[in-house]
Structures are given as structure tokens and as C-alpha cells.
Amino acid sequence: MSEMAINGVAATARWTTVGGLLVCALGILVLRFSGVAMPPVPPALVLLVGAAVLITAVGRRWVPVVGVLVAAAEAAGFVLTGAAAGLFGAESAGIAVGSWLRGVGVAVAVVAGVVAVCAPRAEVPSAGAGA
């Protein structure tokens, strides 16, 4: 039985998903330190970093789906809470920067995560095959 190896496209997409999640987490930190009211440790921050660590640590094909789901939930919260208004009508530069980092990060994570899951894998022959 042969295994599936992550090819260049899938590997790049996985790392891009991780990057998007971490950029979004950075955006949340910028918002926190810019005075936006949130818990001392925002749950979204924990979820985003946790998903990034999981994608990095576990090489299974389905793992980027976790990043897509966390990023999609963060995007929904970003829009439904009205925080997306900070993209253009921010009261301060810190809120604008944090909002842009958050928005771009989730968009990148969702798209790259879908690519990481859907990219074809290269088949690696098992040690006993063809010998």
C-alpha cells in the first residue's frame, strides 16, 4: 500500500494557512492594545494560535480544515459584531491596522486552507513495491 506525500502546492498552502491564522491573531493583539474592549485572553486568539499549531504539528491531509473553520468563524464574528467597520471608519490608527490584519489574515487562511485540503497529493511507493 502506498502513502500520499504533500506536494509543493499543498505544503505552500498549509504554511500560508498558518501564516493567515497568525496574522489574524496579530491583528487581534493590535486591537487589544489599541484599547478595544475584550477579555484579557481573547478566545479567538487562543483558537487561531491553536489551529496554527495543530496544522504545523499534524501532517494529516484534513488538518487544514480546522484552520478554515476557525478562520471562517472569526470572519463571521468580525462581520456580525460590526468590527469590520474598523477597516474604514476607525477611531485610531491602531484599530485600523488591527482590523486590516484581522480581515486579511482570515481571508488568506480560508482560501489557503481550502487549497491545502483540495490540492492533489503525490503518491509515494511503499518500500517493497517495485523491488
Side-chain angles (χ1 to χ4, degrees), residues 51-76:
V53 168
L54 183 67
I55 293 168
T56 303
V58 179
R60 305 293 294 181
R61 179 183 186 120
W62 59 267
V63 174
V65 169
V66 174
V68 172
L69 294 174
V70 169
E74 179 59 23

Side-chain angles (χ1 to χ4, degrees), residues 93-122:
I95 293 174
V97 168
S99 296
W100 276 100
L101 288 170
R102 189 175 172 193
V104 170
V106 296
V108 167
V110 168
V111 172
V114 169
V115 171
V117 172
C118 296
R121 301 295 196 253

